[in-house]
Amino acid sequence: MKNLIIIFIACIGLSSCATAQNVAKSEIKTDSISEKMLVYQLSNGAWPKQLHDKSVVKYELPLTDELREKIKATSYMHATIDNAATSREINALVLAYKNTGNPSYLKAAEKGIDYLLKAQYANGGWPQYYPDKSSYRAEITYNDNAMINALTIMLNIAYQTNGFDAVDAKYISKAEDAVKRGVDCILKTQVAQNGKPTIWAAQYDQNTLVPAKARAFEPASLSTGESVGVVRFLMKLKNPSEEVKTAIANAVVWFEGTKIVGFKYDKIAEKDKGLVTAPDAISWARFYDLKTNKPIFGDRDGSIKDRIEDVSQERRYGYAWYGTFAQNLLAKEYPKWLKANGK
């Protein structure tokens, strides 16, 4: 009889433990997009921008059995920081963790941070893809703010800002080192003309730090949009060094000297674009010659044109050859930064 009582009590205890565990699980909050990000995460901690069949990653799509199979078939060689991949997910998952307390989101974000730390070159740059080194994927890539997105995550960890105070403290010193080397790379890659620093190229050879081309229509050149992203990142640094201040100031001088007043890039015919008169407009070409500061334009065949009119119609219409890239930087952001940090 005594043994039966003991067994009964033990069963009650096990039942209570199981119930408590089930209640605890039910109290863990989830976020629908973050749950999908966990599914898409690659084995090396990064995320792809495209799956193995070249379909674009879209988190708004339902996770059907067919899509799950595509994700499963996508290898770690698709890991990239291009088009905001990996940085987008790390930022979202850290925020989701702050909102839900779900530990799986923080764990996935930290695995992504580990990937970024591993992918950074010793010279401070980041490749567009890692570990895939084919074509131009191994080049240090400012294009589409790829490297700047990675550096911003490291800066948030180092400064414990934008929710990244949730990340394990062991990452702080690693992030500080990554930022230090990243800024050093930025300073070294600012293109100089006759000793005068200007702005930055979109890509660089990872070994020589010489500006490099990417796709056929993206020549080695000064790149305005990417350079604005670089300057904005540098302006986030606390107690910036004199070297950083000088780099920012020189870039601003270059933007002031190359702005195109009274024109904007707009539709001029069916599926065609060009420069049109717009009295209040301020624009910059996307690419400039590394030596002359003249706008240049690439085409599908790899040729470089001096005039947008000479580019094939498909490329004229399908690429942002001009934009208002530095307008807010010059009008608002730099004067505000200069007031607080200038010399």
Side-chain angles (χ1 to χ4, degrees):
M1 183 69 179
K2 184 178 180 181
N3 290 336
L4 288 175
I5 293 173
I6 292 173
I7 293 172
F8 178 71
I9 293 173
C11 288
I12 292 176
L14 289 172
S15 177
S16 299
C17 288
T19 301
Q21 288 175 352
N22 290 334
V23 170
K25 288 180 179 179
S26 66
E27 288 178 349
I28 295 177
K29 296 180 181 179
T30 60
D31 174 81
S32 60
I33 297 297
S34 297
E35 289 295 311
K36 292 179 182 179
M37 289 180 175
L38 299 186
V39 175
Y40 277 92
Q41 190 170 27
L42 300 170
S43 61
N44 59 1
W47 281 265
K49 71 171 185 177
Q50 293 178 330
L51 302 180
H52 77 102
D53 66 343
K54 296 187 178 181
S55 58
V56 178
V57 172
K58 294 181 179 180
Y59 290 111
E60 64 270 24
L61 295 177
L63 283 173
T64 62
D65 290 342
E66 180 184 3
L67 180 53
R68 285 180 181 273
E69 285 301 314
K70 288 183 180 181
I71 296 171
K72 187 177 180 181
T74 303
S75 79
Y76 66 87
M77 293 297 283
H78 287 76
T80 183
I81 60 173
D82 190 32
N83 288 6
T86 301
S87 59
R88 167 183 58 179
E89 286 82 2
I90 292 172
N91 286 319
L93 287 166
V94 167
L95 180 60
Y97 172 73
K98 296 285 283 189
N99 291 335
T100 67
N102 193 322
S104 61
Y105 300 157
L106 182 59
K107 182 179 179 181
E110 289 179 344
K111 191 176 179 182
I113 293 168
D114 286 331
Y115 167 83
L116 290 182
L117 290 168
K118 188 174 182 180
Q120 187 181 24
Y121 290 128
N123 61 21
W126 263 275
Q128 186 186 55
Y129 279 72
Y130 177 83
D132 186 357
K133 295 183 178 181
S134 62
S135 185
Y136 53 83
R137 292 181 170 185
E139 293 173 355
I140 292 173
T141 305
Y142 295 124
N143 188 45
D144 291 334
N145 292 321
M147 176 170 156
I148 296 305
N149 288 338
L151 267 176
T152 300
I153 286 174
M154 296 301 156
L155 196 67
N156 281 329
I157 297 171
Y159 289 171
Q160 298 284 275
T161 51
N162 295 317
F164 281 82
D165 55 307
V167 172
D168 194 311
K170 71 180 182 182
Y171 287 101
I172 296 177
S173 60
K174 295 178 182 179
E176 289 172 341
D177 177 67
V179 170
K180 182 177 181 296
R181 289 188 289 121
V183 170
D184 184 57
C185 182
I186 288 174
L187 296 178
K188 287 180 179 178
T189 53
Q190 189 171 20
V191 177
Q193 296 172 346
N194 297 319
K196 177 68 174 177
T198 59
I199 57 172
W200 289 264
Q203 298 88 206
Y204 291 80
D205 181 275
Q206 66 273 24
N207 298 311
T208 65
L209 300 186
V210 172
K213 68 183 294 294
R215 290 176 290 186
F217 53 89
E218 294 173 328
S221 58
L222 298 175
S223 182
T224 48
E226 281 70 23
S227 293
V228 169
V230 172
V231 172
R232 283 175 173 156
F233 172 77
L234 292 177
M235 291 196 302
K236 292 179 181 178
L237 298 175
K238 297 177 181 178
N239 302 314
S241 66
E242 290 303 313
E243 291 80 7
V244 168
K245 291 180 181 180
T246 301
I248 294 171
N250 282 324
V252 167
V253 168
W254 187 92
F255 280 122
E256 285 284 6
T258 56
K259 63 185 179 184
I260 302 167
V261 180
F263 293 89
K264 67 177 181 178
Y265 196 59
D266 209 350
K267 189 173 182 179
I268 57 175
E270 185 66 24
K271 292 189 176 182
D272 200 1
K273 288 184 176 181
L275 278 180
V276 298
T277 301
D280 297 327
I282 299 177
S283 302
W284 287 264
R286 180 160 187 169
F287 301 131
Y288 287 81
D289 184 87
L290 290 164
K291 296 180 179 180
T292 67
N293 289 335
K294 292 181 179 179
I296 57 175
F297 312 91
D299 218 331
R300 291 281 187 189
D301 61 0
S303 61
I304 299 175
K305 314 293 185 183
D306 294 327
R307 305 188 320 141
I308 188 62
E309 294 84 358
D310 296 332
V311 176
S312 63
Q313 182 180 347
E314 180 271 332
R315 280 296 78 193
R316 284 201 305 269
Y317 189 73
Y319 200 67
W321 292 109
Y322 289 87
T324 59
F325 304 113
Q327 187 170 354
N328 285 335
L329 175 68
L330 297 185
K332 300 176 181 178
E333 298 164 30
Y334 178 66
K336 182 179 179 180
W337 175 88
L338 191 63
K339 187 176 181 180
N341 299 280
K343 61 180 180 179

